Amino acid sequence: MSKQLEELKNRLQEVEALSAAASVLGWDQTTFMPPGGAKARGRQLAVVSRIGHEKLTDPMIGRLLDELEREFADLPADSDDAALIRVARRDYDKATRIPADFVSAFNEHQAAAYQAWSSARPENDFKAVEPMLQKTLEFSRELSGFFPGFDHIADPLIDLSDEGMTVEILSDLFQQLRDELVPLVHEIAAAPEIDDSCLKQHFPGDAQLEFGKKVIRDFGYDFERGREDISPHPFTTSFSIGDVRITTRIKENDLTEALFGTLHEAGHGIYEQGIDPAYEGLPLADGTSSGVHESQSRLWENVIGRSKPFWEFYYPELQAVFPAQLNDVSLETFYRAINKVTRSLIRTDADEVTYNLHVMIRFDLEQQLLEGNLNVSDLPEAWDARYQSDLGVQAPDTRDGVLQDVHWFAGRIGGMFQGYTIGNVLSTQFYTAALQDHPEIQDQTAHGSFQVLHSWMKEQIYRHGRKYAALDLIERTTGGLIRAQPYIDYLKMKFGELYGLS
Ligand code: ZN
């Protein structure tokens, strides 16, 4: 190995170590830290992040990358070293193109916008955050400008979390989805409503947690290299390939909250635990994009965890945990209840069919704002109009309307939502490819065995970490581009049967 490559690895490992240290501080902050620690923790996190940023943007890394790109120009693209150089270049450019002044001004603004949103949302007061959001839009446009060479102003912002995805690719994909989903939702709304009252009984929290842990252990989540705790918003965080942690939250009057939160985060966790140990401490040891990451949480949560074969095996086990609540509830009733479709106002509560409509509304509004075709002051009306046309519902207030998600108020406008729908689409695209190789997967699911599915995902996706950019990974794994059709087929088949549609 060349001396320069060794030097680059050493430096990147320091950056990763600092980033992992910040993750530990952040994990503790949202799980076990007493409230009195908040102020100091904010300061500690800021210091660790600043040192990490300084180390990553050290001009020496730029010089090493210049030399290595020359020295290793002939390496096959699928060699680990070539991948490391490519990924390190991407991270370095991203970190250096955005001026430090801009980063601190935007961070400060985001903290203020989040504060304003936290009080404006319960007060239903969009006007109170409107000037903040206007400023966020200006920052977002400026951020986009640091990355020239893209076709659309939103493309660099999308690329930050979903490399290679563009407004053009996604608009086409989303249009295909919307053309199928809007009529499907209308058909379902006209069908008899599903009764999900069996899920709304009292279910003691500890028993809920234990059941969820048992299931994800069967999926292949490794508790020797992970743990599950409670936090207000479920998340996954990785400190190393040997320590990937998840959280969930419990509602004792709703069986779905903790369970599906656990299955979802375990999907993210299984991905990170499956990365090749040779990448430990390097920037390759991460998921390759937010959409591919979400494909794994959605695969284990929905494609597997809300499927009939899965519950044929696990429902008797769940009944044994909650006999008083579920012994009189049939498998069919339970399966229908966990898949009930509701035209609701809130994205995070949405079912598999309506979820993507929520995402697309946000995605389109982001483009219109960035393009200057929609004023921030007109956003609430535009929001309501789209909910009316796509979902047939209208929020009685902005709290459950345009103010419901934190993303635009704690982040930026542009590139914040597409990963959720990309993930849903890819979950079935990958699953369909796995089934083609191993048709026995469905039967194994009905016996509580996931080894073949897990191994396939690990071999094709997990172990590579960031080695392949998302579009390359999709091509290698499924032989083409991202495609809406497998997902549309999946939804039509599953929900057509559930709702007795023709
Ligand atoms: Zn997720």
Side-chain angles (χ1 to χ4, degrees), residues 109-328:
H109 168 72
Q110 284 167 328
Y114 175 74
Q115 279 294 326
W117 172 80
S118 303
S119 50
R121 186 176 178 222
E123 299 289 318
N124 245 325
D125 191 357
F126 179 76
K127 283 277 166 222
V129 291
E130 195 188 303
M132 291 283 187
L133 203 55
Q134 181 62 42
K135 196 100 188 38
T136 302
L137 180 59
E138 286 155 23
F139 272 114
S140 305
R141 288 202 179 112
E142 200 180 339
L143 179 61
S144 168
F146 297 131
F147 302 91
F150 287 90
D151 289 338
H152 190 282
I153 184 170
D155 286 349
L157 306 177
I158 293 169
D159 192 82
L160 287 174
S161 46
D162 285 293
E163 184 178 3
M165 293 293 175
T166 62
V167 170
E168 194 185 346
I169 295 175
L170 293 172
S171 298
D172 185 48
L173 184 80
F174 289 180
Q175 189 59 48
Q176 289 176 49
L177 276 178
R178 185 153 57 230
D179 288 348
E180 301 281 352
L181 290 181
V182 171
L184 181 61
V185 170
H186 285 301
E187 273 188 80
I188 289 172
E193 200 180 338
I194 285 176
D195 175 7
D196 65 348
S197 56
C198 62
L199 305 173
K200 314 288 181 195
Q201 308 176 70
H202 181 80
F203 298 94
D206 287 347
Q208 287 194 45
L209 274 186
E210 281 315 305
F211 180 78
K213 283 184 182 172
K214 196 239 172 250
V215 172
I216 63 174
R217 198 174 276 122
D218 293 348
F219 281 173
Y221 179 82
D222 180 359
F223 278 93
E224 291 294 308
R225 298 187 295 130
R227 53 179 287 138
E228 181 178 47
D229 295 283
I230 303 296
S231 68
H233 298 279
F235 67 97
T236 301
T237 186
S238 168
F239 309 148
S240 70
I241 297 167
D243 189 353
V244 182
R245 304 186 188 190
I246 61 172
T247 70
T248 192
R249 63 181 162 201
I250 304 170
K251 275 191 193 161
E252 294 210 314
N253 61 355
D254 181 354
L255 185 62
T256 62
E257 186 80 20
L259 176 60
F260 291 108
T262 294
L263 304 193
H264 181 100
E265 298 308 326
H268 286 301
I270 289 168
Y271 185 178
E272 303 249 347
Q273 287 183 336
I275 294 169
D276 186 341
Y279 299 163
E280 182 68 273
L282 294 171
L284 292 177
D286 201 349
T288 194
S289 73
S290 76
V292 172
H293 230 304
E294 199 66 12
S295 78
Q296 295 311 302
S297 55
R298 291 301 190 170
L299 170 78
W300 294 102
E301 175 195 0
N302 289 335
V303 180
I304 299 299
R306 288 183 208 263
S307 73
K308 192 70 163 292
F310 174 87
W311 286 106
E312 282 167 8
F313 182 82
Y314 284 99
Y315 191 57
E317 294 201 5
L318 185 67
Q319 285 178 308
V321 178
F322 300 113
Q325 295 89 332
L326 295 177
N327 270 1
D328 292 335

